[in-house]
Amino acid sequence: MNKRKALQQQNNHYEKQLPKETRQILTDIVVYLKSFPISEYQVELVRLDITRMLLEGAARGASASEVLGEDYKEFCKGIVAELPPRTPLQTIAYHADILFLGLAILMPLWMVTGLLDSVQNGGSLIHVPVSSGTISATLIILVVSYAIVQYICKTSLEDESEQARRKNRFRFILILFFAVLVCMAPAILFRNTVLNVHIAVYIAGFVICFCVHKLLAAYTD
Amino acid sequence: MISTQMLKGTLEGCILGIIRKRETYGYEISEALGQYGFGKITEGTIYPILLRLEKNGMIRATYRQSDVGPKRKYYSLTEDGETEFQSFLTSYRELSAAVAALLADVKGGNDDE
């Protein structure tokens, strides 16, 4: 287990000891910190410090805002200013990791749908047909999912009432539903095969994407 | 209440001063600041300053067992921290003397009116 994962497990353990409301605030803070170009390991180090402050605060009967101050966003910005930002190489590796992870998730899905299509059209199971639709859908899904994650991180500390939160959650699910439709539409509408990939080559491609993702994730940790 | 802008320039040096007295941790520092008359300064306000001081090698952290949660971080001053504190003292005394001279003059002017 690498340093970051060990620290993450330790943090998860301590976080469970926090009162529910404080735990939610800590989650929002950590999600917001993840919207900045700092490594996951740095986020976990800071999370440990904040968890310690909140646990000791809770033991004294102090709320999260009494311990950290009223403005959580300012608190996070103050922290981020003191942490080492990702280097340009780490930034490239971080984005490449997202790309390869996305491909590693989508490739098995496209393989199953492609092979089902092939069988329906009397084709073989030796070649995986790749359509222009699946290529377009892959690109759209990667962009949309990246945008959604960024949106969640950036807005995690928006000051909202419980009612507004619920309304926004409903709106978000609706947007997500339409986003899925937009993402999948090309794969359904444009089914013309642009290339047939041998199943062994396809699986090798998937394994390579997965391994590259693992290597990049370890590098950016 | 001391304004945030005024505090910004002096808080770092004052925190160094508190740590210089004895090894201490975040909550104790915020409590000490309150007792000195700085008003309510939360741990959240001083945490980024402690990160900066540690990053710049002015203080070092040691982990010790706590009653609750993860091990507590105790801070002590390094040699660089001592030099920085002395530099802060000199600057602050100069500033304090300059402000005192100005206020005495302004007050004198007011008395003349």
Side-chain angles (χ1 to χ4, degrees):
Chain A
M1 193 189 299
N2 68 20
K3 268 196 316 186
R4 200 262 303 163
K5 276 191 180 154
L7 191 56
Q8 192 176 33
Q9 277 190 5
Q10 190 189 350
N11 284 336
N12 291 346
H13 165 75
Y14 286 123
E15 198 178 293
K16 283 180 195 151
Q17 298 172 14
L18 285 168
K20 195 181 166 197
E21 200 181 317
T22 310
R23 203 161 59 222
Q24 182 58 51
I25 292 167
L26 176 62
T27 304
D28 290 344
I29 286 174
V30 172
V31 169
Y32 186 66
L33 285 172
K34 286 186 181 187
S35 71
F36 292 93
I38 47 176
S39 75
E40 291 270 323
Y41 181 63
Q42 288 293 337
V43 171
E44 289 301 327
L45 279 176
V46 167
R47 185 179 162 210
L48 180 67
D49 286 341
I50 302 173
T51 308
R52 182 190 308 112
M53 286 188 242
L54 291 173
L55 273 170
E56 290 188 355
R60 299 189 298 269
S63 67
S65 61
E66 283 170 321
V67 175
L68 306 177
E70 297 287 339
D71 193 338
Y72 300 132
K73 265 190 179 179
E74 274 308 304
F75 169 63
C76 291
K77 284 175 186 168
I79 292 170
V80 171
E82 304 308 330
L83 296 179
R86 279 194 209 111
T87 62
L89 199 62
Q90 281 174 327
T91 306
I92 293 168
Y94 172 78
H95 288 101
D97 175 32
I98 295 172
L99 175 72
F100 282 101
L101 172 66
L103 289 175
I105 292 169
L106 291 171
M107 281 178 83
L109 176 75
W110 298 145
M111 189 176 84
V112 171
T113 53
L115 287 176
L116 282 175
D117 250 12
S118 181
V119 169
Q120 270 180 351
N121 297 324
S124 73
L125 289 173
I126 302 294
H127 289 94
V128 181
V130 178
S131 69
S132 58
T134 52
I135 295 171
S136 324
T138 303
L139 292 174
I140 296 170
I141 288 170
L142 290 175
V143 171
V144 168
S145 49
Y146 182 79
I148 288 172
V149 170
Q150 283 300 310
Y151 173 79
I152 292 171
C153 291
K154 288 271 180 218
T155 57
S156 68
L157 284 176
E158 292 301 318
D159 195 16
E160 291 167 346
S161 65
E162 190 52 37
Q163 197 183 4
R165 252 178 205 267
R166 251 184 251 146
K167 203 173 158 187
N168 274 348
R169 210 172 294 156
F170 176 72
R171 198 184 302 160
F172 182 72
I173 290 168
L174 209 66
I175 291 170
L176 202 63
F177 174 73
F178 283 107
V180 170
L181 275 187
V182 169
C183 289
M184 299 307 281
I188 297 161
L189 295 174
F190 309 110
R191 300 173 80 158
N192 54 314
T193 304
V194 286
L195 76 154
N196 278 299
V197 183
H198 193 281
I199 194 157
V201 175
Y202 194 96
I203 291 171
F206 160 73
V207 172
I208 289 170
C209 283
F210 185 75
C211 291
V212 171
H213 146 63
K214 282 285 176 193
L215 285 172
L216 290 171
Y219 175 70
T220 52
D221 253 352
Chain B
M1 194 180 146
I2 306 165
S3 80
T4 317
Q5 282 303 320
M6 273 187 148
L7 267 179
K8 265 188 182 168
T10 48
L11 208 48
E12 199 174 298
C14 295
I15 289 173
L16 280 177
I18 291 169
I19 297 172
R20 186 174 181 263
K21 266 183 79 184
R22 67 183 172 94
E23 201 182 43
T24 183
Y25 58 96
Y27 177 64
E28 238 179 27
I29 298 171
S30 73
E31 284 291 286
L33 287 167
Q35 281 164 11
Y36 283 119
F38 283 84
K40 176 80 185 151
I41 302 208
T42 64
E43 270 185 277
T45 306
I46 61 171
Y47 177 64
I49 301 173
L50 290 171
L51 278 181
R52 179 160 65 243
L53 291 171
E54 198 182 352
K55 181 177 76 176
N56 295 338
M58 309 291 170
I59 55 172
R60 74 171 70 86
T62 319
Y63 291 88
R64 301 240 181 90
Q65 209 60 48
S66 161
D67 297 338
V68 282
K71 285 182 177 173
R72 193 182 272 161
K73 240 174 164 178
Y74 282 82
Y75 299 98
S76 57
L77 215 61
T78 62
E79 271 182 35
D80 285 350
E82 177 62 34
T83 312
E84 181 66 22
F85 180 70
Q86 292 306 328
S87 157
F88 165 74
L89 267 188
T90 310
S91 302
Y92 186 76
R93 279 177 182 147
E94 279 172 16
L95 174 73
S96 179
V99 174
L102 182 140
L103 291 181
D105 187 40
V106 170
K107 196 168 173 283
N110 282 345
D111 289 345
D112 293 343
E113 280 168 17

